[in-house]
């Protein structure tokens, strides 16, 4: 049996808003070359969280990371999802 998903007008409005926001960010001078990966310090500052909260996000799998040596890196797109409320 195939599951059916309904898309409402509100879903489309929300998608439109997110799409426009991303396009505007890409069009801003200097934003096209923005970083794709952030270090823990940058993530804590951007999200306004403590080291313990960042660790909890990693443990719960809410925020994926890549560890290179002793430094952890986080994808900017994953951070943006958390800021937009999708990562919760």
């Amino acid at each position: 049996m195939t599951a059916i998903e309904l898309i409402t007008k509100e879903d489309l409005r929300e998608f439109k808003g997110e799409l426009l926001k991303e396009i505007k960010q890409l069009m801003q001078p200097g934003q096209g070359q923005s970083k794709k990966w952030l270090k823990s310090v940058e993530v804590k500052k951007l999200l306004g969280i403590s080291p313990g909260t960042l660790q909890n996000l990693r443990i719960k799998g809410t925020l994926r990371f890549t560890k290179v040596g002793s430094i952890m890196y986080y994808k900017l797109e994953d951070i943006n999802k958390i800021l937009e409320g999708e990562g919760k």
Side-chain angles (χ1 to χ4, degrees), residues 64 76-88:
R64 297 180 295 172
L76 181 58
E77 66 183 65
D78 292 340
I79 308 300
N80 287 332
K81 285 179 184 176
I82 288 177
L83 286 170
E84 294 168 3
E86 296 175 19
K88 294 180 181 177

Side-chain angles (χ1 to χ4, degrees), residues 9-25:
K9 287 183 181 181
E10 184 58 36
D11 292 334
L12 292 173
R13 281 188 204 101
E14 187 176 322
F15 176 74
K16 175 185 171 185
E18 291 173 10
L19 187 58
L20 288 173
K21 180 180 172 186
E22 289 183 22
I23 290 171
K24 286 177 186 177
Q25 287 178 344

Side-chain angles (χ1 to χ4, degrees), residues 35-39 42 64-66 73-76:
K35 297 169 83 173
K36 289 187 178 185
W37 294 90
L38 301 175
K39 294 180 182 178
E42 297 166 307
R64 297 180 295 172
F65 66 97
T66 299
Y73 293 93
Y74 307 84
K75 281 188 175 183
L76 181 58

